[in-house]
Amino acid sequence: MKEIVLKGIPAASGIAYGPAFILDKGEFIVPKRIISSLEVDSEIARFEEAVNNAKKEILALKAKINQNMRPGHAQIFDAHLLVLEDALLLDQVTGAIRETELSAEYVFSSVIKKFVEAFTKIPDEYLRERATDVNDISKRVLKYLMDESKLHDLDSLQDDLIIVAHDLSPSDAVSLYNKKIKGFLTDIGGRTSHTAIIAKSLGVPAVVGLKDATLQINNQDDVVIDGKKGLVIINPGVETKELYIKEQHKITISLKKLDDLKDLPAETLDGKKISLMANLELSEEISTVRKYGGEGVGLYRTEFLYMNRLDLPSEEEQYKAYRNVAEAVAPFAVTIRTLDLGGDKFISSVQIPKDMSPFLGCRAVRFCLERPDIFQIQLRAILRASVHGRVSMMYPMISGLAELRRANAILEQVKHSLRSENIPFDEKIKVGIMIEVPAAVMTAEDLARETDFFSIGTNDLIQYTLAVDRVNEKTAHLYEPAHPGVLKMIQKTIDAAHNEGIPVAICGEVASDPLLAFLLLGMGIDEFSMPAALMLSVKKMIRCIKFQDAQRIAYEALQLTTGQEVEEFIDLQLHALMEGYKAGG
Ligand code: PEP
Ligand code: MG
């Protein structure tokens, strides 16, 4: 078989090989099957039975989680049941089976497609959203009409597969946790999409933005992923495979070498100590923080606790999760970020409008300010957990002082009620903000006076500064971390923070690139937070350089006028430094 090479966007480095599994969640391929006129009645009976089974399944699901649900959540199931009882839909399907003499699954999926299309054209946003519900219901029915093995159910996936999908939502990626997936490939997406971030957190390579990987790769095709270069090789020949096995071996050896740095301090040759922390998406991953020598958690993305479930996590559940993390990283600190839903992260329990431009829509702190009921529960849980370790918290996507004050006002109310209930919390808990919106940079002096620390979220700051969607592969080449406009934003943020005497951390993906980390270090970043597995290579860089050189080179880099010039300059300078230090012993 011919070897085919696809080039995409490198999203998580590493090498993997194995059989491909095409995860086409959106659409089931339902073959057109003609039946005989004698089969019509039994086909209709089969359809009715499938609908009944789907209804039973929904009722059972509803009963199972009823105890934990709030009344609003039961409505999701009730709405699904109503669709399955819709006489118009049922009559249309049975009528068409009779008329066309085509199989129940084919007719049902054609009718449902028309329903979905009709929904997507409704101007009312809420009703338009219901198309997803109808799709979900259709899958439940189709499961009973078709050979199960043809349907893709994330829960029943076998181990050691390379998942190939058109798109993979962050919640789908999270649901693959514990599944021993070898890697991810997607047609769309950018390098800082949350799916890419989850791949890093699961420690598997990923290539995104491959455009038509789902068409080029077939189920069970042998596939090699080179996550660093963003390459995918379909049907690799013996030589290619050997080459990659060798490459993987080399990577394993160099990672083992890095392991020796685990317990050494992140300190420059001229004695500047840097705080190296880990980003955390799933509390189950907490052991990786210490495994890679992390000094705590600089960004705990709590929204993943809300995903892949029909209810919202209760205060108690959140408290336990935050407390576990705080205790596990002690004596080091954890910075818990309040809910950052929206953008590319959605959950089932709350209908967030899927805005035309979701990253510019009701996202992060905006959502929390609109839903103080949900926000307060999280704040209570964080505050309660704060007595069990060194806990600080921060709000994502703050765009100015008014927003910060509104969030803080809710926090004060929550503190007040905890005090009146005699529930302890750390009265001195540090409250910071993420700097991800250009308006926050421009007002950073004011913000710095009313907050305890900044944490720069470059994944978003880059997309909002350059007007480049972080999950759109078509504009991925314009997503330039070293763009002078971005660097000036970062420098302004650092200066504002330091003028007001507060520290500034960085927790976007750039922090994990040793080259950019070197530049950021020279610019004055106090704390670095990144995917746990990448901390050691940044530590290696820190331990090989002098802070004063980093400062000098960063100053020069900031005088340059294009992103490419900056990257080339830093690359050259860093390598020259390393060589020089080596030569000088
Ligand atoms: C960022 O925007 O850089 C960040 C760390 O937050 P997230 O990637 O979760 O949006
Ligand atoms: Mg962000």
Side-chain angles (χ1 to χ4, degrees):
M1 257 184 288
K2 213 173 122 226
E3 200 174 281
I4 301 170
V5 180
L6 307 180
K7 173 95 181 84
I9 299 166
S13 62
I15 306 268
Y17 40 85
F21 182 84
I22 313 290
L23 189 75
D24 187 356
K25 278 227 322 154
E27 208 88 30
F28 291 131
I29 297 166
V30 185
K32 194 170 187 171
R33 185 166 61 84
I34 300 169
I35 55 168
S36 78
S37 52
L38 293 174
E39 284 175 292
V40 165
D41 285 338
S42 63
E43 199 63 11
I44 289 176
R46 212 165 66 82
F47 169 63
E48 286 168 351
E49 197 188 332
V51 170
N52 278 335
N53 281 334
K55 276 202 246 173
K56 274 188 217 151
E57 198 179 293
I58 296 172
L59 283 170
L61 202 60
K62 184 176 160 183
K64 201 165 123 195
I65 56 175
N66 222 0
Q67 312 104 321
N68 307 327
M69 282 195 318
R70 294 154 169 236
H73 301 137
Q75 285 166 10
I76 299 175
F77 295 112
D78 291 339
H80 284 201
L81 286 171
L82 275 180
V83 175
L84 287 179
E85 279 159 9
D86 180 7
L88 185 71
L89 172 74
L90 302 182
D91 288 353
Q92 228 172 308
V93 176
T94 49
I97 295 176
R98 225 172 259 298
E99 230 172 82
T100 59
E101 296 187 352
L102 289 167
S103 68
E105 63 270 19
Y106 186 77
V107 171
F108 174 67
S109 74
S110 316
V111 171
I112 219 83
K113 256 186 207 152
K114 287 198 190 111
F115 261 66
V116 171
E117 263 170 42
F119 270 107
T120 50
K121 287 191 186 127
I122 297 175
D124 181 285
E125 192 155 19
Y126 179 77
L127 288 176
R128 205 166 53 231
E129 289 283 314
R130 303 281 67 76
T132 325
D133 288 337
V134 178
N135 252 330
D136 276 3
I137 300 158
S138 82
K139 278 176 210 160
R140 265 187 218 288
V141 176
L142 282 172
K143 197 169 70 184
Y144 289 102
L145 286 172
M146 288 178 65
D147 177 359
E148 279 255 22
S149 65
K150 296 210 171 62
L151 299 178
H152 308 139
D153 177 359
L154 291 183
D155 289 337
S156 59
L157 280 187
Q158 71 183 71
D159 285 343
D160 296 334
L161 294 169
I162 288 182
I163 301 290
V164 187
H166 177 67
D167 185 15
L168 196 66
S169 71
S171 62
D172 283 345
V174 168
S175 69
L176 294 170
Y177 176 73
N178 273 342
K179 286 272 181 302
K180 283 218 212 135
I181 293 302
K182 284 189 146 180
F184 295 114
L185 303 175
T186 59
D187 290 343
I188 64 172
R191 85 178 66 215
T192 60
S193 68
H194 284 92
T195 302
I197 289 170
I198 292 294
K200 280 187 206 161
S201 158
L202 300 181
V204 296
V207 180
V208 299
L210 284 155
K211 297 194 177 81
D212 58 357
T214 46
L215 294 179
Q216 303 248 23
I217 305 173
N218 293 309
N219 253 336
Q220 296 300 318
D221 270 357
D222 209 10
V223 164
V224 170
I225 306 183
D226 180 341
K228 191 164 185 192
K229 294 198 181 121
L231 294 179
V232 178
I233 297 102
I234 313 168
N235 305 321
V238 183
E239 272 178 26
T240 310
K241 216 161 168 181
E242 267 173 13
L243 203 84
Y244 275 103
I245 291 174
K246 270 192 202 143
E247 190 60 28
Q248 196 182 36
H249 190 62
K250 268 197 230 155
I251 295 176
T252 315
I253 292 175
S254 63
L255 288 179
K256 273 226 175 83
K257 267 197 200 146
L258 280 179
D259 235 26
D260 298 342
L261 300 178
K262 190 174 109 27
D263 297 317
L264 299 176
E267 187 175 343
T268 61
L269 293 174
D270 49 353
K272 170 132 177 115
K273 281 211 174 69
I274 308 295
S275 184
L276 269 194
M277 305 176 99
N279 291 349
L280 184 72
E281 284 73 47
L282 307 165
S283 56
E284 296 91 326
E285 294 284 290
I286 188 68
S287 60
T288 58
V289 179
R290 290 306 300 138
K291 181 174 160 207
Y292 295 106
E295 298 177 341
V297 171
L299 163 66
Y300 177 9
R301 291 181 163 103
T302 55
E303 50 279 4
F304 291 97
L305 203 62
Y306 291 66
M307 285 184 185
N308 294 313
R309 53 194 294 163
L310 289 161
D311 58 342
L312 287 163
S314 65
E315 176 185 324
E316 204 53 31
E317 183 184 341
Q318 291 188 59
Y319 161 67
K320 280 192 189 134
Y322 306 152
R323 175 182 175 162
N324 279 347
V325 171
E327 286 177 342
V329 296
F332 297 112
V334 51
T335 300
I336 303 178
R337 177 175 76 182
T338 60
L339 199 52
D340 182 2
L341 285 178
D344 60 349
K345 289 174 289 194
F346 294 94
I347 56 173
S348 313
S349 50
V350 187
Q351 286 296 331
I352 304 176
K354 288 206 171 93
D355 309 86
M356 299 282 278
S357 310
F359 279 108
L360 302 179
C362 183
R363 186 190 162 193
V365 76
R366 299 174 183 176
F367 169 78
C368 288
L369 293 175
E370 269 185 28
R371 290 294 306 265
D373 53 331
I374 295 176
F375 193 33
Q376 279 159 349
I377 291 173
Q378 182 176 41
L379 293 176
R380 278 181 69 94
I382 296 173
L383 287 172
R384 284 177 56 199
S386 67
V387 291
H388 297 287
R390 281 177 56 204
V391 175
S392 53
M393 53 173 275
M394 63 183 174
Y395 309 122
M397 238 187 117
I398 288 285
S399 62
L401 208 46
E403 216 163 32
L404 171 60
R405 286 179 180 158
R406 282 180 67 200
N408 273 339
I410 297 177
L411 180 66
E412 282 313 310
Q413 282 166 13
V414 172
K415 283 184 178 174
H416 182 74
S417 56
L418 285 177
R419 280 183 205 113
S420 59
E421 291 166 55
N422 280 327
I423 298 176
F425 64 91
D426 176 6
E427 288 279 356
K428 293 199 181 110
I429 186 169
K430 296 249 187 292
V431 181
I433 61 170
M434 289 197 67
I435 300 287
E436 320 185 81
V437 178
V441 175
M442 300 313 285
T443 55
E445 276 84 6
D446 300 331
L447 288 165
R449 276 191 282 277
E450 298 192 23
T451 195
D452 294 320
F453 61 92
F454 285 163
S455 184
I456 306 179
T458 43
N459 302 339
D460 279 313
L461 185 61
I462 296 169
Q463 81 162 340
Y464 295 133
T465 301
L466 300 179
V468 175
D469 186 341
R470 66 191 265 193
V471 298
N472 185 347
E473 71 286 354
K474 295 191 190 79
T475 49
H477 60 290
L478 302 172
Y479 190 92
E480 278 187 277
H483 188 294
V486 172
L487 297 182
K488 289 191 166 87
M489 288 270 172
I490 296 175
Q491 191 64 64
K492 182 164 168 54
T493 306
I494 297 171
D495 294 345
H498 290 171
N499 282 343
E500 288 302 322
I502 63 168
V504 52
I506 196 144
C507 61
E509 298 306 291
V510 295
S512 61
D513 176 338
L515 216 65
L516 293 169
F518 171 73
L519 172 63
L520 293 162
L521 180 66
M523 287 167 69
I525 291 285
D526 302 298
E527 218 176 83
F528 288 75
S529 192
M530 65 196 74
L534 304 177
M535 285 185 294
L536 291 175
S537 53
V538 174
K539 190 188 270 188
K540 183 177 168 197
M541 176 278 291
I542 291 172
R543 292 180 56 83
C544 286
I545 56 113
K546 285 188 184 146
F547 180 57
Q548 60 185 39
D549 287 329
Q551 277 180 309
R552 174 180 49 79
I553 291 167
Y555 177 80
E556 282 176 42
L558 258 87
Q559 315 308 312
L560 300 171
T561 46
T562 71
Q564 194 183 339
E565 270 169 32
V566 174
E567 288 207 19
E568 284 169 4
F569 175 72
I570 297 293
D571 192 19
L572 217 74
Q573 295 290 325
L574 182 57
H575 280 100
L577 278 185
M578 304 264 231
E579 290 306 314
Y581 297 143
K582 245 192 251 164

